[in-house]
């Protein structure tokens, strides 16, 4: 499902997501996509698919497209895409997941938290419909490789290939505190591995990452 614009778009933790016409806003509904203990790696597969779609419409001279943990897509270290995955148990016992994807094509918001960009600014003249065609094909391929969580090793390998900032100093904002250290990568379940100043490796399941 796609929309030309949204009146109530939102990002993680209920933040507003600017949804003006000219960008791509797409949602994918999955029912029981994997056993619950394998769902943690699904955001990695989604990020790999969206990254591939974005990379496929950028001109060769564009700045590099990267994946910022857990699943933002950056171009030249500027955010161009956000992904939100929400789930809910159904009355019949099945589990539904909605994957919401917003990609800045022609319009970008003023965001005090992160630098932002759009595909137009990077020299791409793709339309929302054309980009959706790329996204549809790349999502089907990535979810096929993920294979209900059985293909997590291949997905994490692809994610790491285009990861932004591995080895760099970062700050992770958690709901109750901020932690700084070096980004050591991810484990096979998609957890961020943070090397703290005392040399410990701390796994983090959710948080906002800032490069220092």
């Amino acid at each position: 499902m796609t929309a030309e614009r949204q009146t109530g778009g939102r990002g993680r933790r209920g933040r507003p997501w600017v949804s003006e016409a000219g960008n791509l806003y797409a949602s994918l509904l999955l029912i029981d996509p994997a056993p619950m203990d394998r769902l943690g790696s699904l955001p990695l597969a989604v990020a790999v698919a969206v990254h591939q779609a974005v990379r496929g419409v950028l001109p060769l001279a564009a700045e590099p497209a990267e994946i910022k943990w857990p699943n933002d897509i950056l171009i030249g270290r500027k955010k161009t895409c956000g992904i939100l995955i929400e789930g809910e148990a159904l009355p019949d016992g099945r589990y539904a997941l909605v994957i919401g994807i917003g990609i800045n094509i022609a319009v970008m918001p003023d965001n005090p938290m992160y630098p932002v960009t759009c595909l137009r600014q990077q020299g791409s003249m793709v339309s929302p419909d054309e980009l959706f065609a790329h996204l549809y094909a790349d999502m089907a391929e990535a979810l096929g490789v993920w294979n209900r969580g059985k293909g997590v090793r291949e997905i994490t390998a692809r994610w790491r290939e285009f990861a932004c900032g591995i080895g760099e100093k970062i700050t992770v904002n958690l709901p109750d505190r901020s932690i700084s250290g070096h980004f050591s990568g991810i484990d096979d379940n998609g957890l961020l591995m943070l090397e703290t100043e005392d040399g410990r490796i701390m796994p983090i399941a959710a948080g906002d990452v800032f490069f220092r």
Side-chain angles (χ1 to χ4, degrees), residues 59-78:
L60 293 177
E63 296 179 279
E66 300 173 294
I67 305 172
K68 174 176 172 283
W69 186 85
N71 51 19
D72 287 341
I73 308 301
L74 308 185
I75 303 175
R77 294 290 175 102
K78 298 175 182 178

Side-chain angles (χ1 to χ4, degrees), residues 123-194:
S124 174
M125 299 307 294
V126 71
S127 70
D129 287 344
E130 290 170 328
L131 181 55
F132 180 72
H134 283 269
L135 179 61
Y136 181 91
D138 290 326
M139 186 67 70
E141 193 271 341
L143 291 180
V145 171
W146 182 65
N147 188 21
R148 295 177 56 82
K150 298 175 184 177
V152 64
R153 289 193 176 184
E154 173 63 22
I155 288 298
T156 52
R158 293 188 188 188
W159 193 99
R160 292 180 180 117
E161 182 181 357
F162 297 104
C164 179
I166 291 181
E168 295 184 20
K169 291 183 178 180
I170 61 172
T171 296
V172 183
N173 288 350
L174 305 176
D176 59 342
R177 56 182 170 146
S178 295
I179 305 175
S180 296
H182 284 84
F183 179 25
S184 294
I186 59 171
D187 70 6
D188 284 343
N189 292 314
L191 297 183
L192 183 148
M193 308 304 289
L194 182 72

Side-chain angles (χ1 to χ4, degrees), residues 48-142:
V48 165
V50 177
H51 174 268
Q52 181 63 27
V54 168
R55 206 163 62 104
V57 300
L58 287 174
L60 293 177
E63 296 179 279
E66 300 173 294
I67 305 172
K68 174 176 172 283
W69 186 85
N71 51 19
D72 287 341
I73 308 301
L74 308 185
I75 303 175
R77 294 290 175 102
K78 298 175 182 178
K79 184 170 179 175
T80 192
C81 172
I83 300 167
L84 181 65
I85 302 178
E86 297 181 313
E88 182 175 321
L90 300 177
D92 62 5
R94 296 181 299 165
Y95 194 73
L97 279 174
V98 176
I99 302 168
I101 301 166
I103 304 176
N104 296 337
I105 297 177
V107 181
M108 54 188 177
D110 293 325
N111 191 330
M113 294 184 64
Y114 309 106
V116 294
T117 188
C118 65
L119 298 183
R120 288 285 186 277
Q121 197 174 63
Q122 300 296 323
S124 174
M125 299 307 294
V126 71
S127 70
D129 287 344
E130 290 170 328
L131 181 55
F132 180 72
H134 283 269
L135 179 61
Y136 181 91
D138 290 326
M139 186 67 70
E141 193 271 341

Side-chain angles (χ1 to χ4, degrees), residues 7-24:
T7 58
R10 69 180 188 276
R12 282 182 295 163
R13 300 183 183 178
R15 299 188 186 111
W17 181 269
V18 176
S19 308
E20 298 298 333
N23 294 341
L24 175 62

